[in-house]
Amino acid sequence: MSLSQDPLSSQFAPDEPGRFPGWRNLPRRGRGLSLRTLVILRWMAIAGQSATIAVATLYFHFDLPLWGCLGAIAASIAMNLNATARLKRSDGSLPDGRLTAAHLGFDILQLSVLLGLTGGLQNPFCLLLVAPVTVAAASLPGRQAALMGLLVLGATISLFFVSLPLPWQAGTELNLPPLYRFGIGLALITGVIFTSAYAWRVAADAEKLELALATTQDVLQREQRLAALGGLAAAAAHELGTPLATIQVVARELLRAAPKDGGAAEDAALILQQAERCRDILKRLSQQPEEGDAAFAQVGLKALLEEVVEPHRGFDLDFEVSVRTASGEPAPRVRRLPEVVHGLSTLVENAADFANGKVRVRAIVDAGFIEIEVVDDGPGFPADILPRLGEPYVTSRPQGKARRVLAAQIAASVAAATPGRKTKKAARADPAPETIAPSQGGMGLGFFIARTLLERTGGKVFVGAGDGGQTPARGQPKGARVAVRWPRPALEVPS
């Protein structure tokens, strides 16, 4: 029946055009970096910082606050050694958003301390503050990336007001004007904003492309499986033709040989009827409707529902078919698509298999949608099956039920035809045979095929408890509800 509790891929639905996500709904552009990647990047930063201090001290003879700079680098080394030890204890190949944000925040603070010791915004290496924010924008969720940007903003403002003089050659001092330092800070903040926004958009486009590729692969796999099932159906139609013909011949012989008013004649007539129905189904599977054929053009919505329900009547079930429209307007005419007919027939057939006594098929028409729901009064969807509905070969139908019922009916027919009288005790002990439902004991392919066909026509499938999830009375079955919703233009015939 349906294949998902919500419309498929609802959690990956793209933003509506013209709307901007709020602060609480910022999309997750990524899940962070792995711990191993963070360790490698920090070792590279440590090597670069150490080389810069060595060159400035030994080659240019700048008067650096050496112990303070070495202390900042030592803190980074200690952080990396701790991360390396943690990496050995756990799997560091998996991305972790919070851990990535914590490490990037530490890198920003450590770099800010180094810059504060070596001239603040006068130090040309202040440009490196752009790097952590860019990495955060490309790999972290929106809130954490924004937090990294605010941290860099605070560091830039602090470096403008609080920093040691820029180290220079002995006997000279380089002091840049405040306006120039303000310009450097403004350029740094502007670069952070634009670089981060660019990285954010690139990551967003890459994620959308990855999602589109994954969705396309999923659809392709589903179509390939459906095509394989189509080949099986064609082979089955070919192979079943001869056995069906034999069954019909034998059933006709039994019908002619049996008394007209006897139970054997009724059974033979039922076998003929069901064999003919099987032949019609196989014929429809092997034929394609011609374009413009009236039978495949358009029908009334109520007539479409009656068509999918009609083959399942007569199995001791009460079918309720109705159409509800807004403001009492007449029911629209819809396209009689083979995918819709087959998919709805499968949903009705499954509901009939599990229903205790009643199946409701109702169409609801509003200004923008046409929704068709199938509700039964059976046990409902099992909790262990519901998450996997729509996958091939997933079923909760008892596999041996049909065989047991058929055996009971054959035994009852034989007993009725056997001369002799039963005692009252034996008559009371024999239970009344069940009526065989159309397709008990299936393979779990009906849901999968119905979902694929209905979604191909633009519909979305929903599942839930019967009667919209209302709580049933104690001891009563909750039933199951399957609804398919189309935009009206996808199904309705323009008037």
Side-chain angles (χ1 to χ4, degrees):
M1 294 227 272
S2 165
L3 316 184
S4 66
Q5 300 182 40
D6 298 306
L8 279 178
S9 306
S10 60
Q11 60 179 332
F12 300 109
D15 298 332
E16 295 182 14
R19 296 188 180 182
F20 295 92
W23 174 260
R24 293 182 176 273
N25 297 319
L26 284 174
R28 298 182 66 88
R29 299 304 186 194
R31 293 178 295 175
L33 301 176
S34 66
L35 184 58
R36 182 176 290 107
T37 301
L38 293 171
V39 169
I40 293 173
L41 290 177
R42 184 172 291 111
W43 283 126
M44 294 172 61
I46 291 171
Q49 292 170 1
S50 302
T52 302
I53 291 177
V55 170
T57 302
L58 301 177
Y59 183 77
F60 291 105
H61 304 288
F62 288 165
D63 186 16
L64 292 174
L66 192 58
W67 291 110
C69 294
L70 293 179
I73 295 177
S76 186
I77 292 175
M79 183 73 170
N80 229 26
L81 290 177
N82 179 66
T84 303
R86 182 176 178 178
L87 185 61
K88 293 179 180 179
R89 294 192 304 267
S90 62
D91 184 7
S93 61
L94 299 178
D96 189 331
R98 293 184 178 180
L99 187 63
T100 300
H103 279 260
L104 291 178
F106 171 82
D107 292 337
I108 292 173
L109 293 177
Q110 190 261 358
L111 181 58
S112 300
V113 171
L114 271 179
L115 292 173
L117 294 173
T118 55
L121 294 182
Q122 298 181 91
N123 190 328
F125 288 100
C126 66
L127 182 64
L128 293 175
L129 285 172
V130 175
V133 186
T134 304
V135 174
S139 61
L140 289 180
R143 295 182 183 181
Q144 296 174 359
L147 182 61
M148 296 299 102
L150 292 176
L151 192 58
V152 169
L153 176 62
T156 303
I157 296 175
S158 300
L159 291 175
F160 179 80
F161 291 103
V162 180
S163 65
L164 296 179
L166 178 68
W168 207 246
Q169 294 178 348
T172 60
E173 184 176 346
L174 180 63
N175 288 319
L176 298 178
L179 182 60
Y180 188 83
R181 290 189 290 114
F182 176 80
I184 292 178
L186 184 61
L188 178 61
I189 294 174
T190 304
V192 167
I193 294 175
F194 277 93
T195 306
S196 302
Y198 176 76
W200 176 273
R201 289 308 309 168
V202 169
D205 292 342
E207 184 180 14
K208 290 180 181 178
L209 183 61
E210 182 181 358
L211 177 61
L213 178 61
T215 304
T216 303
Q217 290 175 341
D218 179 69
V219 172
L220 180 60
Q221 290 176 356
R222 193 183 307 166
E223 294 293 337
Q224 289 174 342
R225 286 182 290 179
L226 187 61
L229 292 175
L232 292 176
H238 175 73
E239 296 293 335
L240 289 176
T242 301
L244 280 176
T246 304
I247 291 173
Q248 287 180 313
V249 171
V250 174
R252 289 193 185 95
E253 293 294 334
L254 291 175
L255 183 60
R256 283 196 294 265
K260 292 185 178 181
D261 297 331
E266 294 180 2
D267 292 342
L270 179 61
I271 292 174
L272 277 175
Q273 178 188 358
Q274 295 303 311
E276 189 62 33
R277 181 185 172 212
C278 290
R279 184 175 293 277
D280 291 340
I281 293 174
L282 294 177
K283 186 183 298 184
R284 287 198 300 268
L285 287 175
S286 60
Q287 290 180 347
Q288 294 291 336
E290 297 294 335
E291 186 175 357
D293 191 346
F296 293 90
Q298 53 183 270
V299 293
L301 185 55
K302 181 70 175 291
L304 177 65
L305 301 184
E306 292 288 353
E307 179 181 355
V308 299
V309 167
E310 184 60 31
H312 310 287
R313 295 187 187 273
F315 290 98
D316 297 334
L317 293 174
D318 179 21
F319 284 89
E320 177 186 333
V321 180
S322 62
V323 176
R324 190 177 71 189
T325 59
S327 304
E329 64 180 6
R333 294 185 65 80
V334 295
R335 297 179 179 88
R336 187 186 179 279
L337 302 174
E339 295 91 341
V340 174
V341 174
H342 183 85
L344 292 178
S345 296
T346 300
L347 301 184
V348 173
E349 185 172 354
N350 281 285
D353 282 353
F354 288 95
N356 290 328
K358 182 177 181 181
V359 176
R360 185 179 75 234
V361 182
R362 180 172 63 178
I364 303 172
V365 183
D366 59 19
F369 295 94
I370 296 177
E371 180 175 299
I372 298 177
E373 66 174 11
V374 181
V375 182
D376 64 68
D377 60 351
F381 296 108
D384 58 332
I385 294 294
L386 190 58
R388 298 186 294 128
L389 278 175
E391 299 178 9
Y393 309 107
V394 174
T395 180
S396 61
R397 184 179 291 118
Q399 297 292 333
K401 182 178 179 181
R403 297 188 185 96
R404 293 196 302 269
V405 174
L406 181 59
Q409 290 184 7
I410 294 175
S413 300
V414 172
T418 302
R421 256 192 305 186
K422 289 185 178 180
T423 64
K424 293 183 179 180
K425 182 177 180 180
R428 286 195 302 267
D430 292 339
E434 301 179 60
T435 302
I436 300 179
S439 63
Q440 294 169 336
M443 296 188 298
L445 295 175
F447 294 174
F448 166 70
I449 298 174
R451 170 186 180 175
T452 304
L453 293 177
L454 292 171
E455 288 183 347
R456 183 183 293 173
T457 64
K460 291 184 178 180
V461 186
F462 306 80
V463 298
D467 294 320
Q470 298 177 1
T471 304
R474 186 173 182 180
Q476 296 295 323
K478 61 182 180 179
R481 175 181 181 270
V482 181
V484 189
R485 173 176 289 192
W486 293 269
R488 288 190 66 161
L491 201 60
E492 183 179 9
V493 176
S495 56

